[in-house]
Amino acid sequence: MAVNSKLRKRMMPLASLVFSLLAAMVLLTIRRQSSDPILDNVLPFFFFLFCFSLGLYLWFMNKRAKGERTLILCLADISLLWLAWGAGRTQHERFFCLILYLVIFYSALILFMQVLQNYFSYWGLNWMSGKVKIALIGSAASTFVLFVFASMTHYAGVRSLGMLFVAAVMILAIVLAIHASRHYNEPAHRPMLQTLLLGLVVSLIPNLVLSIIPSIIQDEFIFRPLAGIFLFILPLVLFYMIVSDRFLDPAFVTTSVIYCAMIAAPSSFLLGTAFYALNRWNLITYDGVNDYRFVIVSFFAIFMILYIKQYLDYSLRKRLYPKQQDAQTSINRFLQWMKTDYDLGDIDRIIKREMEATLPVEDVRMSRTEHNESMMGTFDTENDSATNQTKEGLGKLFATQDGFRILLYENVRRKIVLMGKWKMPRRRLNPDERVWLETLINYIQIVIENLANTKDMLENLEGSSVLSTSVPLTVKKMMLRISERERWKLSRSLHDQNMQDQLDIARQLDAWGAGADNPESKALMVKFREQILDSIYVLRQVINDLHPEFIYRTGLRTALIELFNKVNLRADFTLRWAVDEHLDGFQREWEMAVYRVVQELLNNARKHSHARLVTLSLKKEGSLFTLNYADDGVGLDVAKIGKSFGTMGFPGMIGRVEGLGGRINIRSEKGKGVEIIMQWTSKEVYAG
């Protein structure tokens, strides 16, 4: 029984589509002759085919969660609306077709409201209450009965009464959509509701204005073909909402539609004027109605071409505008480089490389003027009079005799200007190049201003005598990040330049030694090679100390154990350590800070403490992470420990602990060793 019930529910939508297909064939055979077969025959059949195809696709999808089956019934019903209008050759056939037209309209609107009710329920929203639904069905039934009775008794106003219900339901749907858009204003629901509202307004308002309201006023069934064209939007919007889980941005679509319509309207008007003029000069012979239709068809044709062109331009932009794609890649590359470079000299080289590769320019350079001082730094400079010629605004391109100048930054102390020359023969920058240049200049200005502000802030902080108590925690964190970034930059430079140069020398010595005939020369080459490899080994250790990136791969505990093993091999004291297992999921900044602190503690013990025993532990105690250190060395005077933003020694260690929101307590006396307790809460330790 359950299988039969499922089969019946599955076949019911298909039966409705088959019935609509048979009904369409009958209605096509009894349509009246028309002077305009395109509007009265082709478009109604195409509307039926459009709705039928959407319904058939939904049936093959075989889904029902969002109200797909109800939508199939709605599509099968509304597909006959345009065909029923204008069908019937005899008086009895026309009366029957008008009754059918009204039945289709009523049932399609009720099914349409039910589709939206099911769809809203799927998303946990409410479209209309049960009372409204019952009132709709009751009103439709009673209005239809009154219409049939009044038609049989030839009462006046019967057709106005029939269309009054249609107008009421259309207006109700728009009002409910507006109410839902305001009531459910969450970002997750907003695109869906805006799409629905836009579709209802565009599809129903033209039908109300052109067909429904005139029918009520004139007490005559009126169906304008132009209104029928807008009716295509209603099934399309419902189908799109049911099938898609991702919605277009209605605001963007509306702006695009208005933009295309504003271009299409005057263009179609000019074409219509030309068509009318040719008709008046008897170069072509058409009546005035064809002039009107020509303007409408021209408008829609131009509008669709412009609208589709926007998406084609986006899809084919790589082939149509390869230079634009290169410019976008260049901007992305510049931003990636700026993540790791904090020096104006590096920025100068990057700008020169990108501008000369993208624009028809050469000899690009930055010039810096220190007010009341001579030119400074490694930048290319010109005399003050040349720089002072820059009268234009900040970031604006100022043309010179053979090049350009752009003011990037200016304050009371310094001025930074970007200058270059045009390649000859000179050509004008195209729009894409101008946009690229403006974008690049904006980014450069942001970078330079941030560098200047950071430099000024560091100078102010270093000059403060109450750093640890007056500086906010966020500033301390930023200082730690800058310090680590500088260490990483230095380690990368050593690895990519110095180490590679030494490896290259070692390879050359290998090659020279292999080709040497003199045994003494060969032995000397081998000796030099070994010395270089030893130097490379030491350099590798320095690089790891500067930025021990292996912490992020192996985890903090493994990295600390490796450090402890190295210390036990090199130090003249005994190190006893204890680190809790399963220490993972920490913030990378905290892992690096703890490693740095432990590294500094052990270096200090090895160089200055003269201790025989050092103990160190890292444990989790409740919600606290505690790092304990103790030695039996010579001790130190705690009162003399300064507080600064340095990254070396005890001041640097204190800055690292406090910079991540931790607390540090140092206890020591001369000749009685040192005991240090550092604590962080789970909030500061774990990644968010």
Side-chain angles (χ1 to χ4, degrees):
M1 294 294 294
V3 175
N4 291 335
S5 176
K6 289 183 179 180
L7 184 61
R8 284 197 299 270
K9 291 181 179 179
R10 167 84 171 131
M11 298 308 295
M12 185 186 302
L14 181 62
S16 66
L17 290 173
V18 173
F19 177 80
S20 67
L21 180 61
L22 296 175
M25 295 172 63
V26 173
L27 291 173
L28 284 171
T29 58
I30 62 173
R31 287 192 68 81
R32 297 190 297 268
Q33 297 293 328
S34 173
S35 59
D36 195 338
I38 294 179
L39 291 178
D40 294 334
N41 293 322
V42 176
L43 281 180
F45 175 73
F46 185 73
F47 181 74
F48 163 78
L49 195 62
F50 177 70
C51 296
F52 182 83
S53 301
L54 297 181
L56 197 61
Y57 178 84
L58 289 173
W59 185 81
F60 278 110
M61 283 179 58
N62 193 23
K63 294 181 180 180
R64 58 179 181 177
K66 298 181 183 178
E68 286 86 350
R69 292 180 178 176
T70 308
L71 180 56
I72 294 175
L73 298 177
C74 181
L75 291 172
D77 196 1
I78 201 172
S79 64
L80 300 173
L81 183 66
W82 204 338
L83 288 175
W85 170 260
R89 295 176 180 175
T90 65
Q91 184 176 358
H92 292 290
E93 287 178 351
R94 283 196 290 273
F95 178 75
F96 173 79
C97 289
L98 288 177
I99 296 293
L100 180 63
Y101 170 76
L102 199 63
V103 170
I104 292 172
F105 228 147
Y106 282 17
S107 58
L109 288 174
I110 293 175
L111 287 171
F112 157 71
M113 298 292 279
Q114 184 60 42
V115 168
L116 292 178
Q117 177 66 30
N118 295 340
Y119 183 77
F120 271 60
S121 299
Y122 172 81
W123 294 107
L125 310 178
N126 184 37
W127 170 249
M128 62 179 179
S129 63
K131 294 181 180 179
V132 174
K133 179 180 176 181
I134 295 173
L136 276 177
I137 297 175
S139 300
S142 58
T143 304
F144 180 73
V145 170
L146 288 174
F147 172 79
V148 174
F149 177 76
S151 297
M152 295 176 63
T153 55
H154 303 287
Y155 278 168
V158 59
R159 297 185 178 180
S160 298
L161 177 65
M163 287 292 101
L164 193 61
F165 175 77
V166 175
V169 176
M170 288 184 174
I171 294 173
L172 177 64
I174 296 174
V175 171
L176 290 176
I178 295 174
H179 172 73
S181 299
R182 293 182 175 180
H183 184 67
Y184 305 109
N185 199 30
E186 294 84 359
H189 300 140
R190 192 178 300 128
M192 173 185 72
L193 297 175
Q194 289 178 347
T195 301
L196 174 63
L197 179 59
L198 180 64
L200 293 182
V201 169
V202 175
S203 61
L204 298 184
I205 294 296
N207 278 274
L208 280 169
V209 173
L210 298 177
S211 298
I212 308 303
I213 294 177
S215 298
I216 296 173
I217 295 175
Q218 301 179 25
D219 192 22
E220 187 74 30
F221 285 152
I222 298 173
F223 189 84
R224 305 288 186 190
L226 182 60
I229 293 174
F230 285 99
L231 200 61
F232 275 86
I233 299 173
L234 183 62
L236 181 62
V237 169
L238 294 177
F239 176 81
Y240 172 70
M241 294 180 65
I242 291 290
V243 172
S244 178
D245 291 326
R246 295 177 297 176
F247 298 94
L248 297 173
D249 183 359
F252 174 79
V253 173
T254 303
T255 304
S256 299
V257 168
I258 294 175
Y259 171 74
C260 295
M262 290 179 65
I263 297 178
S267 302
S268 59
F269 176 77
L270 292 176
L271 289 175
T273 303
F275 187 83
Y276 175 78
L278 293 174
N279 187 15
R280 290 294 301 270
W281 296 337
N282 295 324
L283 297 177
I284 53 176
T285 55
Y286 287 104
D287 55 22
V289 177
N290 282 308
D291 294 339
Y292 165 74
R293 290 176 180 172
F294 179 80
V295 173
I296 294 177
V297 172
S298 299
F299 172 81
F300 280 105
I302 297 172
F303 174 84
M304 292 304 299
I305 290 172
L306 292 173
Y307 193 80
I308 294 173
K309 179 182 178 297
Q310 296 181 89
Y311 293 93
L312 287 178
D313 288 346
Y314 179 79
S315 302
L316 303 176
R317 66 190 186 282
K318 291 183 180 180
R319 295 183 179 180
L320 294 175
Y321 312 109
K323 193 70 175 177
Q324 184 184 67
Q325 186 68 16
D326 293 342
Q328 293 173 352
T329 304
S330 175
I331 291 292
N332 293 333
R333 188 166 56 240
F334 173 79
L335 294 177
Q336 291 299 321
W337 277 328
M338 286 301 96
K339 288 182 179 180
T340 58
D341 287 300
Y342 297 95
D343 185 74
L344 283 178
D346 295 332
I347 298 175
D348 186 22
R349 290 190 294 271
I350 295 171
I351 295 172
K352 176 180 176 65
R353 181 164 56 245
E354 292 302 319
M355 290 190 66
E356 292 182 357
T358 307
L359 303 178
V361 297
E362 59 186 3
D363 195 20
V364 177
R365 61 200 183 280
M366 280 202 304
S367 172
R368 183 177 67 177
T369 303
E370 300 289 342
H371 291 308
N372 300 324
E373 297 180 11
S374 59
M375 295 293 181
M376 299 178 62
T378 58
F379 301 91
D380 293 322
T381 61
E382 293 187 1
N383 56 52
D384 289 341
S385 61
T387 307
N388 290 333
Q389 291 174 5
T390 312
K391 304 291 186 182
E392 73 283 1
L394 192 66
K396 301 298 183 181
L397 182 69
F398 178 76
T400 60
Q401 185 174 0
D402 58 350
F404 62 91
R405 182 181 289 109
I406 302 171
L407 179 61
L408 298 177
Y409 177 80
E410 184 177 22
N411 63 9
V412 295
R413 291 189 295 175
R414 67 178 64 90
K415 177 189 293 186
I416 299 177
V417 179
L418 179 68
M419 55 188 66
K421 297 180 179 179
W422 304 110
K423 286 184 179 179
M424 295 299 175
R426 182 185 172 185
R427 68 169 176 83
R428 297 178 63 87
L429 298 180
N430 61 46
D432 290 337
E433 291 172 338
R434 288 182 176 273
V435 171
W436 178 89
L437 181 59
E438 291 176 3
T439 306
L440 181 68
I441 294 303
N442 289 334
Y443 283 129
I444 295 172
Q445 289 178 299
I446 293 172
V447 171
I448 294 177
E449 186 171 358
N450 287 340
L451 286 175
N453 292 338
T454 303
K455 182 179 178 181
D456 293 341
M457 183 183 67
L458 289 175
E459 292 175 354
N460 293 333
L461 290 175
E462 290 292 348
S464 175
S465 59
V466 286
L467 290 173
S468 294
T469 58
S470 63
V471 178
L473 180 61
T474 53
V475 176
K476 295 181 180 180
K477 286 185 177 181
M478 185 197 68
M479 299 300 301
L480 289 176
R481 290 173 183 169
I482 293 175
S483 172
E484 287 301 328
R485 185 59 65 90
E486 289 298 323
R487 286 172 174 263
W488 174 82
K489 184 178 177 181
L490 179 57
S491 67
R492 187 187 66 173
S493 177
L494 291 174
H495 180 275
D496 294 345
Q497 297 178 14
N498 301 65
M499 182 181 290
Q500 300 307 318
D501 292 342
Q502 294 189 40
L503 286 172
D504 186 56
I505 294 173
R507 295 189 191 97
Q508 292 181 11
L509 289 173
D510 278 339
W512 294 339
D517 297 330
N518 190 340
E520 293 182 0
S521 298
K522 183 175 292 188
L524 191 60
M525 297 292 181
V526 172
K527 179 182 177 181
F528 289 158
R529 178 182 178 276
E530 293 300 326
Q531 291 177 348
I532 290 175
L533 292 179
D534 290 340
S535 175
I536 292 174
Y537 175 78
V538 174
L539 184 59
R540 195 183 300 275
Q541 296 299 317
V542 172
I543 292 172
N544 287 334
D545 289 341
L546 281 171
H547 190 73
E549 195 155 345
F550 57 86
I551 294 176
Y552 307 135
R553 297 192 304 268
T554 64
L556 177 61
R557 187 174 190 275
T558 303
L560 288 176
I561 292 174
E562 184 177 340
L563 176 62
F564 297 154
N565 292 334
K566 290 181 180 179
V567 170
N568 276 326
L569 289 175
R570 300 175 184 174
D572 54 359
F573 56 79
T574 301
L575 173 62
R576 294 178 182 174
W577 57 268
V579 179
D580 280 356
E581 297 184 359
H582 310 297
L583 295 178
D584 54 12
F586 303 130
Q587 295 191 51
R588 299 182 70 173
E589 291 178 351
W590 186 81
E591 287 185 326
M592 182 62 73
V594 170
Y595 187 87
R596 293 288 191 204
V597 167
V598 172
Q599 199 177 35
E600 184 61 39
L601 287 171
L602 295 178
N603 285 337
N604 181 76
R606 186 163 57 89
K607 295 178 181 179
H608 308 295
S609 70
H610 303 294
R612 294 187 302 274
L613 176 64
V614 174
T615 60
L616 193 148
S617 66
L618 177 62
K619 297 180 180 180
K620 181 179 181 183
E621 300 171 346
S623 62
L624 293 177
F625 283 81
T626 304
L627 177 63
N628 288 307
Y629 170 87
D631 66 42
D632 57 358
V634 297
L636 55 87
D637 188 356
V638 178
K640 292 184 178 180
I641 299 177
K643 296 181 179 181
S644 73
F645 279 104
T647 58
M648 306 298 291
F650 274 94
M653 183 176 63
I654 295 172
R656 290 185 184 279
V657 175
E658 294 180 346
L660 290 175
R663 298 185 300 275
I664 182 170
N665 183 22
I666 304 175
R667 294 195 295 267
S668 178
E669 295 181 14
K670 284 290 186 177
K672 295 184 179 181
V674 178
E675 183 180 357
I676 304 175
I677 301 175
M678 290 164 263
Q679 289 183 324
W680 297 267
T681 64
S682 299
K683 179 181 178 181
E684 292 133 5
V685 170
Y686 286 114

